[in-house]
Amino acid sequence: MVGEEGAFVLGWDEVLTEEELSMTLKVLCMSEEEFKEYKEQDGWEDDSEEEENSLSNEALSRLKPSCKKLLYDSVLLSLESYSSDLKAEQDLLDNQEAYEKLSRREQQALHVRYGQKRILHQLLQLL
């Protein structure tokens, strides 16, 4: 369901791997009986009840409570995988002297981590 990379891609305004996330949330939030019925109907490819064409930030905030909780908990787990929090990254970016001591590669990695964490925090607020 998740694809080869095993991850979902989130952007500032929407989920970029919306089909995979939508299907994954739908299946993981089904009861065992709903799942059996869905599987028997071969509902994997041609889902006739397309709820949302795009998983925009607005659409994410309207997910079913069980899906929102699952996604919220997943985001928390993702944030826990980082060795530092968003505030620590912001502090390092704000400290010009410390920032300049980093190698170019470390500076780039800092910007990437900071951006990822900001998107994840934004998603937490939406949910």
Side-chain angles (χ1 to χ4, degrees):
M1 286 182 293
V2 178
E4 293 178 21
E5 288 81 35
F8 302 110
V9 181
L10 306 172
W12 285 110
D13 300 317
E14 65 185 2
V15 176
L16 303 177
T17 54
E18 61 189 69
E19 188 175 324
E20 292 91 344
L21 180 59
S22 179
M23 180 62 69
T24 301
L25 288 174
K26 182 175 185 173
V27 170
L28 290 175
C29 292
M30 287 180 177
S31 68
E32 186 175 346
E33 187 171 309
E34 289 171 323
F35 178 73
K36 285 179 184 176
E37 183 179 317
Y38 190 68
K39 194 170 143 183
E40 288 171 5
Q41 294 176 1
D42 293 325
W44 299 108
E45 291 299 323
D46 297 329
D47 193 359
S48 59
E49 54 180 86
E50 290 289 325
E51 294 107 20
E52 197 65 53
N53 208 12
S54 166
L55 279 178
S56 65
N57 287 347
E58 184 180 329
L60 286 170
S61 66
R62 294 189 313 258
L63 288 171
K64 293 187 321 185
S66 59
C67 291
K68 285 173 82 170
K69 170 119 176 71
L70 179 62
L71 191 53
Y72 186 89
D73 291 345
S74 298
V75 170
L76 287 178
L77 284 173
S78 295
L79 285 169
E80 287 175 10
S81 71
Y82 290 98
S83 61
S84 61
D85 62 10
L86 183 65
K87 172 117 174 58
E89 305 290 7
Q90 181 63 57
D91 291 346
L92 187 52
L93 285 168
D94 291 341
N95 184 338
Q96 189 67 28
E97 186 178 321
Y99 179 79
E100 288 176 0
K101 288 181 182 177
L102 299 174
S103 70
R104 182 75 178 133
R105 178 177 234 155
E106 290 171 323
Q107 290 174 354
Q108 291 171 337
L110 173 63
H111 284 282
V112 170
R113 283 191 317 270
Y114 180 70
Q116 291 171 338
K117 290 174 189 178
R118 285 191 54 210
I119 289 172
L120 290 171
H121 279 274
Q122 174 183 312
L123 185 54
L124 286 178
Q125 290 177 344
L126 289 168
L127 298 170

